[in-house]
Amino acid sequence: MKKMTRKLLNFMSTRLGFVLTLLCFYWLKTMWAYTVDFNLDIQGLYQAFLAFVNPIPLGLLFIGLALYFKRSAIFYGFSIFIYILLFIWLFSNAVYYREFSDFVTVNTMMASSSVSAGLGEAALGLFRPWDIIYLIDFPILGYLMYKKFIRVDHRPFNKRASFAITALSTMLFTANLFLAEIDRPQLLTRGFSNYYVVRALGLPAFLGYSGNQTYQANKERSKASAEDLKPVEEYIQNHYAEPNKDYFGIAKGRNVIYVHLESFQQFLIDYKLQADGKAYEVTPFLNSLYHSNSTLAFSNVFNQVKAGKTSDAETMIETGLFGLNQGSFMVNYGGTNTQQAAPFILSKNGGYTSAVFHGNAGSFWNRNTAYKQWGYNYFFDAPYFTKQDDTNSFQYGLNDKIMLKDSIKYLERLQQPFYVKYITVSNHYPYTTSLIGDEIGFPLAKTKDETINGYFATANYLDSSVKALFDYLKKSGLYDNSIIVLYGDHFGISQTRNPNLAPLVGKTSETWSNYDNAMMQRVPYMVVIPGMDKGKIIDTYGGQVDMLPTLEHLLGIDSKNYLQVGQDMLSTQHQQIVAFRSSNNFVTPKYTSFNGRTYYTQTGEEITNPDETIKKELDDIRNAANTQLKISDAIQTGDLIRFYKGNDLGKVDIKKYSYNHSFKALKKIEEEKGDQSTSLYSQRKGESTIDLFDAPSYRALHPEQFESTSSSEDSSESSSDSSSSSSSSSSSSSSSSKQ
C-alpha cells in the first residue's frame, strides 16, 4: 500500500501528473454536482455515459494548456488558476440551479449588475452543508504541496507532448459531440434545452454555447431591417383572435389596477394546509375573488417565464411578447428597444396616466430604464416609501402591507383614468423571512424543505395584503370605477423542490413526473370587474403572453394593430396552445410536452409510442408553439417595432420621463388642472384617503390562535414590533418622497 501511495505521489509530482490530478478533482466535483444539485433527467446508460465522460475533454484541454509553459512558477500558477475558474463556474451553476432550475448563461452574467440589488441573504440561503465537498480538495492539495508530498517539477514538458495532450483533448471533445448528436440530433442548432447541452457536453461547453447564442442575438438586431417585418405581420394577422362580443369594451374607461402576486402558484387557490389536526385556509380572500360573480377567473393559465422570471412576466403582460430564451429582456433590451407597451397604448387610447409601485430598488431588473420605454409616467420605488430596516423589509424590498399603505398618498393624486401596477415582494424566496412580530402565526408546513414549509405563511400574508388594498378601494370610491387584474408571475416552488411538495398536493415523491412539473406552472389570472354579474371560472388554456390582448379587448381596444403574439383568452378563436419559453415545451387541453416527455393532459399518462395520428397532432402543436416563440424573438431581438407603421402610436420619447420627483409632478398637474383635475384627491376636495387604508396584522386578524399567550403582554408594543402592520402612519418615515 505504501509503495502504491509513493508511486501515486511521485506521479502527481510530475507536470502531467499534476494536470491529471486537477482534472480528476474537477471530474469528481462535476459528478457530485450532476448527482446532488442538478436534475439532468438522465435516461438510460447511454446518457449516463455521456454525463460521466463530458467533464474530461474540455477540462483536460484547458488545464493542459499549462503544459506549454516552461517556467515552473508559471506552469503551476496557470494550471491552478484555470482549475479555480472551472471550479467557480461549476459551483456558481450549482448554487444558481437551486433557485432557478437552470444554468448560468452569458446574458445572465451580463445582467448580474442589474439584478444583484436586493439579493443578499437570499443567496446565502441557497448554500448547503454538502457544499464543503466542492472546497475540500483545496486544503488537501495545499497540505500535500506544503509537506512536499507533491513536489515541484522543474523539468519543462516536451512541446510535442504538450501538443499531443491538446490534440487528444480536442479529439475527445469531438467524439463527445459526435456521441451527443447521436443521442439528440441537431443538439446545438435547434436549442432543445439547456439541460440537454449540459448533460451531453458539460458546463464549459454550455458556456460557449450560451455565448454563441448571445452573439447571434446581438448580430440579429444589428442586421434587422423593415423587410423582416413581413413574416411577422403576416403571422400577427393570421394569429389574431376576434374579441368576444359579450365582453368587448365592458370595462372601457375604467381605471386599471394590476396586482402582481409574487411567486404565487395556482394550487394555492382553495388550498387548505393541514397542521396540528386543523385545516388552515391559505388565501381566503383570493379564494373569494376566484369564486365571485364579479370575477373572470382562469383556472388553466401557465407562466411562460425563463431565467428572467419576474421581469419575463412583466414583459409579457405589458407587451404581449415573450421574454428571452436567455437572460432578461428588460435587462438586455429594455432600455434600448422601441416598444409599444400597455401604458403607452392606453395613454393613446383613453388618456390613461400610468404608474408602478414597488418597494425595492428601481434598478432591480433594470426597471427604472425599461419602464420609460414602456411609457410609464411614474415609478415609485424604494426611496418613495418608508425607510427600510430589519423590522419592515427583507432583501427584496419593503413588506407588502407597508408598501401598499405608503402608496396611497401617490395613488390618490394620479389623474384618472389610470393604469397602475403593484409589485408585491413578501411572498418571495426565501419564504417567511419577511414575517416577524405580529405577522407570525400562520402554521408552517412540515416537510424536510424549509422553503416549502414557509411558502404558505407568506402566501397568507400576501392574501391579507391584497384584501387590505381591496378594502381601501371600496372605502375610497375607486373600486366601482376600476378593473382589478391579479396575476401570478412565476412558480414559487422550483422543480427541484417539487418532490418534497408532492405529499402536500396529493401526490407522492416517488411517482412525481415532468407532467406534474408542467401542471405546477399554473398561476392565477383573475380580472375583477365591479358591478359585473356574469363572472365565472374559465377553463380555457392560456399563458401570460395572452393577458394583454385579453385586457385590451375588455377595455374596448382592438389588439389587431399591435405586434403582440398572444390571443384574447375570452375569444372563441383562442387556440389554447400554451408555449413554454423553452422550445418544444407546451401544454394544450389534450397534450402536454415538458422536458422531453409527452403526456395526455387530462390524465397525466405518458405517451411513449404514439401512432401516426398523434405524431401529426403533436408535430402541428409543436410547430405552432415554436413559431410563436420564433416570431416573438424576431420582434424582440431584432427590435422590429422600430420599423412598424401599422398603427399611429408612434414611439415613446423617453426624454419626457423622469422618476426622480414624481410626487412633486403629480401635485403640479393637479394645480395646473384646477377644477378639471380628475385625481381622487381633487374629487374629495383635498381630503386625503390615507387613513382609509388599514392592514391588520395576522395576530389582530386571528386572536383566537393567541388566547393562550400571557395576558401581561403589551399589545401595543407587540404591534410596533410587527414587520408589516400598516395601521401607523408612514409619511413621517418616508424619505420626503423625493419631492
Side-chain angles (χ1 to χ4, degrees):
M1 186 66 181
K2 289 183 179 180
K3 189 176 181 180
M4 289 181 62
T5 303
R6 192 179 303 111
K7 285 184 178 181
L8 178 62
L9 291 172
N10 287 336
F11 178 71
M12 293 168 65
S13 297
T14 65
R15 293 197 175 189
L16 179 61
F18 188 76
V19 166
L20 294 179
T21 297
L22 295 180
L23 178 64
C24 183
F25 279 132
Y26 172 67
W27 177 83
L28 288 171
K29 289 181 182 182
T30 304
M31 292 299 102
W32 177 263
Y34 285 0
T35 306
V36 177
D37 285 312
F38 301 150
N39 178 18
L40 299 180
D41 192 29
I42 295 174
Q43 304 294 324
L45 291 176
Y46 192 88
Q47 292 182 0
F49 172 75
L50 288 175
F52 184 81
V53 301
N54 69 43
I56 297 174
L58 292 183
L60 179 61
L61 175 65
F62 294 136
I63 301 174
L65 292 175
L67 295 170
Y68 287 95
F69 297 104
K70 292 182 178 181
R71 294 178 59 183
S72 37
I74 299 178
F75 163 76
Y76 284 99
F78 185 82
S79 60
I80 292 173
F81 173 72
I82 296 296
Y83 178 68
I84 290 174
L85 288 181
L86 290 171
F87 157 73
I88 291 174
W89 180 237
L90 174 65
F91 187 64
S92 299
N93 274 276
V95 175
Y96 183 84
Y97 187 92
R98 292 167 189 168
E99 175 60 14
F100 294 94
S101 299
D102 204 354
F103 305 98
V104 181
T105 65
V106 169
N107 269 334
T108 302
M109 291 187 287
M110 292 170 62
S112 61
S113 62
S114 297
V115 302
S116 60
L119 293 178
E121 298 173 14
L124 295 176
L126 295 174
F127 290 98
R128 301 288 182 268
W130 61 78
D131 288 342
I132 190 68
I133 299 295
Y134 292 106
L135 301 167
I136 198 170
D137 62 311
F138 290 104
I140 292 175
L141 270 176
Y143 177 79
L144 291 175
M145 296 188 75
Y146 176 76
K147 290 293 186 178
K148 299 189 184 301
F149 292 112
I150 298 178
R151 300 177 301 280
V152 174
D153 187 359
H154 295 284
R155 298 169 297 171
F157 203 70
N158 186 277
K159 286 186 177 180
R160 290 185 177 180
S162 301
F163 180 78
I165 296 297
T166 301
L168 174 63
S169 60
T170 305
M171 183 184 68
L172 290 174
F173 180 74
T174 303
N176 187 181
L177 181 59
F178 174 75
L179 295 173
E181 286 284 333
I182 294 176
D183 179 60
R184 185 65 62 176
Q186 298 178 297
L187 173 66
L188 300 180
T189 56
R190 293 190 64 183
F192 291 100
S193 169
N194 292 345
Y195 291 82
Y196 294 169
V197 178
V198 173
R199 185 176 67 198
L201 302 175
L203 282 168
F206 172 74
L207 178 61
Y209 167 79
S210 171
N212 180 67
Q213 283 192 317
T214 300
Y215 167 76
Q216 293 298 333
N218 291 335
K219 186 173 70 172
E220 275 302 308
R221 186 182 187 281
S222 64
K223 71 178 185 180
S225 68
E227 287 296 310
D228 298 314
L229 268 175
K230 292 181 178 179
V232 170
E233 291 180 299
E234 183 180 349
Y235 174 85
I236 299 295
Q237 183 180 358
N238 295 332
H239 191 63
Y240 170 71
E242 293 276 354
N244 189 321
K245 294 180 180 179
D246 293 337
Y247 296 101
F248 187 78
I250 64 172
K252 185 177 180 65
R254 293 194 182 205
N255 300 317
V256 179
I257 302 173
Y258 257 112
V259 181
H260 171 109
L261 304 176
E262 174 62 42
S263 303
F264 198 100
Q265 294 174 244
Q266 179 67 21
F267 82 87
L268 289 173
I269 298 296
D270 290 335
Y271 185 85
K272 292 183 179 180
L273 180 67
Q274 302 294 325
D276 302 321
K278 298 180 181 179
Y280 293 84
E281 191 174 11
V282 178
T283 57
F285 181 71
L286 291 174
N287 295 345
S288 69
L289 292 181
Y290 186 72
H291 296 282
S292 170
N293 289 331
S294 299
T295 303
L296 299 171
F298 294 82
S299 61
N300 290 308
V301 169
F302 293 77
N303 86 77
Q304 296 170 294
V305 310
K306 205 169 182 183
K309 297 187 79 176
T310 293
S311 72
D312 284 353
E314 286 194 71
T315 298
M316 284 183 279
I317 71 163
E318 303 286 15
T319 69
L321 298 169
F322 287 91
L324 304 178
N325 188 44
Q326 295 185 37
S328 164
F329 172 83
M330 287 175 62
V331 171
N332 291 287
Y333 296 97
T336 56
N337 276 23
T338 301
Q339 297 164 72
Q340 293 184 344
F344 189 50
I345 293 171
L346 292 182
S347 71
K348 300 294 187 178
N349 293 271
Y352 279 72
T353 304
S354 54
V356 181
F357 302 102
H358 180 44
N360 197 7
S363 60
F364 195 78
W365 290 124
N366 198 34
R367 288 187 172 100
N368 55 354
T369 301
Y371 285 168
K372 293 177 182 178
Q373 290 285 8
W374 287 350
Y376 270 111
N377 301 113
Y378 309 101
F379 178 27
F380 299 94
D381 62 338
Y384 286 96
F385 301 110
T386 297
K387 185 177 180 181
Q388 297 180 25
D389 57 40
D390 293 340
T391 68
N392 62 23
S393 62
F394 72 130
Q395 58 266 34
Y396 286 99
L398 195 65
N399 285 352
D400 297 339
K401 291 180 182 179
I402 300 177
M403 184 272 290
L404 292 170
K405 172 76 172 181
D406 287 357
S407 75
I408 303 305
K409 71 183 290 185
Y410 312 118
L411 180 70
E412 66 181 5
R413 298 287 191 135
L414 290 172
Q415 296 297 306
Q416 302 183 70
F418 53 66
Y419 174 90
V420 302
K421 178 168 63 180
Y422 281 98
I423 302 178
T424 63
V425 300
S426 297
N427 191 49
H428 196 297
Y429 175 89
Y431 307 105
T432 71
T433 58
S434 58
L435 306 183
I436 64 174
D438 285 2
E439 293 297 350
I440 295 176
F442 193 90
L444 303 179
K446 295 179 180 179
T447 74
K448 59 183 181 182
D449 192 321
E450 292 185 3
T451 294
I452 294 173
N453 296 344
Y455 182 57
F456 304 94
T458 49
N460 177 262
Y461 173 85
L462 173 58
D463 180 79
S464 62
S465 302
V466 175
K467 183 180 185 302
L469 177 62
F470 270 73
D471 289 343
Y472 163 78
L473 294 174
K474 293 174 181 178
K475 293 176 185 177
S476 67
L478 286 174
Y479 182 76
D480 292 332
N481 191 40
S482 300
I483 174 175
I484 303 100
V485 185
L486 304 100
Y487 75 100
D489 62 338
H490 53 73
F491 58 84
I493 306 300
S494 63
Q495 291 183 41
T496 56
R497 303 180 188 275
N498 278 340
N500 291 328
L501 177 67
L504 298 181
V505 293
K507 303 281 186 176
T508 63
S509 303
E510 293 74 20
T511 60
W512 191 270
S513 67
N514 276 319
Y515 168 79
D516 298 305
N517 284 329
M519 295 301 106
M520 293 300 288
Q521 304 309 308
R522 288 188 175 98
V523 291
Y525 180 53
M526 293 182 272
V527 184
V528 181
I529 307 176
M532 181 187 68
D533 59 2
K534 53 184 178 182
K536 57 183 178 179
I537 297 173
I538 301 168
D539 296 328
T540 299
Y541 280 66
Q544 291 166 323
V545 79
D546 299 316
M547 293 181 183
L548 178 56
T550 303
L551 176 64
E552 287 171 331
H553 289 177
L554 287 170
L555 297 175
I557 302 170
D558 202 325
S559 67
K560 65 181 178 182
N561 294 324
Y562 306 111
L563 297 186
Q564 301 163 4
V565 299
Q567 293 181 318
D568 178 2
M569 285 184 283
L570 294 168
S571 171
T572 57
Q573 298 176 358
H574 185 77
Q575 294 180 351
Q576 300 196 78
I577 297 175
V578 183
F580 292 114
R581 181 54 267 197
S582 297
S583 298
N584 303 312
N585 286 359
F586 58 82
V587 61
T588 73
K590 190 173 183 180
Y591 301 113
T592 295
S593 179
F594 201 74
N595 291 343
R597 303 295 186 91
T598 307
Y599 308 86
Y600 291 109
T601 299
Q602 299 305 314
T603 64
E605 179 188 355
E606 186 173 2
I607 303 174
T608 54
N609 295 298
D611 59 28
E612 292 301 317
T613 301
I614 294 176
K615 285 182 180 178
K616 177 64 165 57
E617 289 179 327
L618 288 172
D619 285 342
D620 289 344
I621 296 170
R622 187 175 293 107
N623 289 334
N626 289 345
T627 299
Q628 187 183 37
L629 292 172
K630 180 182 177 181
I631 293 297
S632 178
D633 287 344
I635 298 170
Q636 299 283 58
T637 61
D639 192 14
L640 296 185
I641 295 179
R642 59 184 159 148
F643 306 117
Y644 186 59
K645 301 185 185 301
N647 58 53
D648 58 358
L649 278 186
K651 299 179 181 179
V652 175
D653 185 0
I654 63 172
K655 296 178 181 178
K656 293 182 178 179
Y657 299 97
S658 174
Y659 301 143
N660 292 329
H661 304 284
S662 293
F663 191 40
K664 185 177 180 179
L666 288 176
K667 292 190 290 186
K668 183 179 180 181
I669 291 174
E670 279 184 334
E671 293 173 2
E672 292 175 348
K673 287 183 172 290
D675 294 340
Q676 302 302 310
S677 173
T678 60
S679 72
L680 179 64
Y681 188 83
S682 296
Q683 291 177 344
R684 294 173 62 93
K685 309 299 182 183
E687 180 187 356
S688 178
T689 59
I690 294 175
D691 292 339
L692 298 180
F693 188 96
D694 183 35
S697 67
Y698 185 87
R699 179 180 286 266
L701 291 170
H702 304 278
E704 72 283 353
Q705 285 186 225
F706 305 92
E707 291 176 353
S708 60
T709 58
S710 175
S711 59
S712 63
E713 189 175 318
D714 189 331
S715 61
S716 63
E717 291 181 2
S718 299
S719 179
S720 69
D721 290 337
S722 172
S723 68
S724 33
S725 175
S726 311
S727 58
S728 61
S729 174
S730 62
S731 57
S732 62
S733 56
S734 179
S735 60
S736 303
S737 305
K738 284 192 174 181
Q739 296 181 46

